[in-house]
């Protein structure tokens, strides 16, 4: 067994937290809006079928369920306990839970590592108890977690899981966020787009479990195809790099929003979850080379995750094109179908700014597209169909047929002026028919130019059912496509590299720079030529030998 495998075997079982068969609510309450009451309401409303144990020393029953006076009265081996209690009582409760061999604890309370030395000391003690007992601790200072597939919402935020969300056969998105508030925001964003979720976890201060633990868990779930993350600090860098590389090998996507570019944001992280954010540029470089896709905003995080979960393959540059298609043997970029000359110019501006390839095409090299278009519409990318589609709706179908078969395009973006329900009723049916009948193997995205237009909900629902992301803005769609296209062009770092044994200077704990370079050169790391000079005359002589400048 390797060191990595041994470490994994010693980790507590995250499944006790995320797939519990028995739950205790410490601080259960009958008061509407109280944390304990909200957790119980979530479990009952969503049909949790396992055992629920309520603990409240002042009540004998709540909502027809018997109450225990203390943790000491719990049966041994309850899977998870939710602590809906004030901070001063948390530590002693964790000790009591460990004594009853509870598998996991969710701690909502703040006031630990983010609150100063005393809070930090208590958090360390929670971690020690958890490690000794083999107990998973989520938090403290977290919002809990949700297992959508088994209908287990261990959070005080109101959750209503519908049948579609609980369908384990659908590819889904798993959410991991250090911030509980941002977990809720992201889940709301994704659910509003009818995107399936498998799990959502807020890790909080990460006293005895980390974002890396939950990513590892999600990657092992067959239904989780995308992991969407909001993380301020990775406490175990080697593990997250290995997890991202593993996701890539499994054909799964990890999309990350990482607050902490600015010095002010890094300082804020310490007061928020106790996180000590490090070098953003280094972290991003390493994670991108392992296979993560970075989002710059919350909106982008949702947009990238939507494309990654809906489309049959990710947008790419240089991937194999459609068999028998027109043009080069490899797909080079994005085709944009539009209806306006001004939109065409704007798209070219955006693409240049983003570094997104829009392969240039013309009448001479695009016979299929030339045959599909009216004579007065020139072949170009972006295309400008003008308003002719309103007169001849089949034009959308013919044009898409030609674009789907053109190997120069790895992705097709359809930018529509939606107008009103009548206009949508003319344009969208032929676009949907093209998707139903032609079944393109490449990603197709539909976006509106006029955000806020009254688009009939049934059109959007059918697009999504056909694997077509729908965006209210073409600029947003292009940005998300660019992030994923850049991912396809990356050179990924090897994860099977072995450590190199280096001959280090003996008997010293500090090695000066000039010696460090000589040591690292043994591993093949190149440096500019140089030597140590101890006088101005020696420096001049060495410089003359090395060469100028």
């Amino acid at each position: 067994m390797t060191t990595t495998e041994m470490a994994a075997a010693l980790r507590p079982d995250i499944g006790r937290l995320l797939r519990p068969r028995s739950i205790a609510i410490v601080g259960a309450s009958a008061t509407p809006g109280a944390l304990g009451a909200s957790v119980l309401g979530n479990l009952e409303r969503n049909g949790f079928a396992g055992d629920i144990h309520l603990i409240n020393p002042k009540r004998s029953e709540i909502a027809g369920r018997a109450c225990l006076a203390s943790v000491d009265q719990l049966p041994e081996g309850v899977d998870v306990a939710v602590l809906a209690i004030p901070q001063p009582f948390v530590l002693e409760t964790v000790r009591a839970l460990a004594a009853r061999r509870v598998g996991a604890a969710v701690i909502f309370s703040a006031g630990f590592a983010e609150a100063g030395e005393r809070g930090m000391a208590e958090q360390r003690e929670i971690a020690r108890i958890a490690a000794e007992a083999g107990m998973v601790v989520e938090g403290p200072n977290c919002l809990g977690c949700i297992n959508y597939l088994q209908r287990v919402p261990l959070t005080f935020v109101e959750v209503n899981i519908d049948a579609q969300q609980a369908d384990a056969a659908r590819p889904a998105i798993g959410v991991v966020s250090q911030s509980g508030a941002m977990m809720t925001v992201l889940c709301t964003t994704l659910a509003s787009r009818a995107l399936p979720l498998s799990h959502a976890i807020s890790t909080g201060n990460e006293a005895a479990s980390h974002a890396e633990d939950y990513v590892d868990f999600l990657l092992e779930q067959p239904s989780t195809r995308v992991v969407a993350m909001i993380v301020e600090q990775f406490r175990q860098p080697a593990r997250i790099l290995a997890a991202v590389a593993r996701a890539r090998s499994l054909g799964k996507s990890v999309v990350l929003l990482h607050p902490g570019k600015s010095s002010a944001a890094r300082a804020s992280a310490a007061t928020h979850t106790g996180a000590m954010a490090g070098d953003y540029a280094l972290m991003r470089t390493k994670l991108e080379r392992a296979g993560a896709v970075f989002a710059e905003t919350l909106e982008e995080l949702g947009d990238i995750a939507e494309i990654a979960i809906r489309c049959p393959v990710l947008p790419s540059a240089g991937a194999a094109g459609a068999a028998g298609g027109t043009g080069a043997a490899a797909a080079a970029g994005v085709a944009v179908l539009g209806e306006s000359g001004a939109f065409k110019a704007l798209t070219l501006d955006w693409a240049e700014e983003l570094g997104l390839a829009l392969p240039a095409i013309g009448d001479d090299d695009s016979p299929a597209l030339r045959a599909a278009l009216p004579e007065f519409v020139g072949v170009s990318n972006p295309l400008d169909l003008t308003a002719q589609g309103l007169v001849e709706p089949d034009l959308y179908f013919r044009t898409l047929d030609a674009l789907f078969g053109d190997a120069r395009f790895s992705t097709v973006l359809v930018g529509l002026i939606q107008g009103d329900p009548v206009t949508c009723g003319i344009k969208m049916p032929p676009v949907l028919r093209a998707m139903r009948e032609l079944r393109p193997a490449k990603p197709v995205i539909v976006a509106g130019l006029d955000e806020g237009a009254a688009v009939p909900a049934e059109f959007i629902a059918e697009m999504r059912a056909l694997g077509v992301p729908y965006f209210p803005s073409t600029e947003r769609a292009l940005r998300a496509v660019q992030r994923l296209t850049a991912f396809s062009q990356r050179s990924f770092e090897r994860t099977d590299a072995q450590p190199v044994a280096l001959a280090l200077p003996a008997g010293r704990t500090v090695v000066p720079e000039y010696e460090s370079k000589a040591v690292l050169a043994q591993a093949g790391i190149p440096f500019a030529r140089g030597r140590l000079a101890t006088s101005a005359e020696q420096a001049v002589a060495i410089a003359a030998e090395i060469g100028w400048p």
Side-chain angles (χ1 to χ4, degrees), residues 34 144 168 180 198 202 234 240 328 389 452 459 478 508 528 542:
S198 64
S202 68
F234 291 107
I240 194 61
F459 290 138
L478 284 165
R508 285 183 288 160
I542 292 171

Side-chain angles (χ1 to χ4, degrees), residues 19 28 44 63 110-111 157 173 202 217 231 240 397 412 458 509 518:
R19 289 191 301 251
E44 290 185 332
V157 175
I173 300 168
S202 68
F217 174 88
V231 175
I240 194 61
F397 182 92
V412 177
E458 60 267 24
T509 57

Side-chain angles (χ1 to χ4, degrees), residues 336 338-350 358 378-384 449:
V336 180
E339 309 169 297
S340 156
F343 170 66
K344 175 179 175 178
L346 282 170
T347 301
L348 290 168
D349 287 345
W350 293 330
L358 302 181
V379 172
S380 64
N381 185 29
L383 267 170
D384 172 15
L449 273 65

Side-chain angles (χ1 to χ4, degrees), residues 214-267:
Y214 299 104
V215 174
D216 283 342
F217 174 88
L218 291 173
L219 292 178
E220 296 305 316
Q221 308 310 303
S223 63
T224 304
R225 197 170 81 189
V226 176
V227 178
M229 305 180 70
I230 304 174
V231 175
E232 292 163 295
Q233 178 203 25
F234 291 107
R235 291 175 168 88
Q236 299 173 323
R239 279 189 65 198
I240 194 61
L241 289 172
V244 170
R246 174 159 170 70
R248 183 166 49 84
S249 72
L250 293 170
K252 300 187 177 189
S253 301
V254 175
V255 189
L256 173 63
L257 177 61
H258 184 97
K261 284 185 189 178
S262 65
S263 57
R266 290 192 291 274

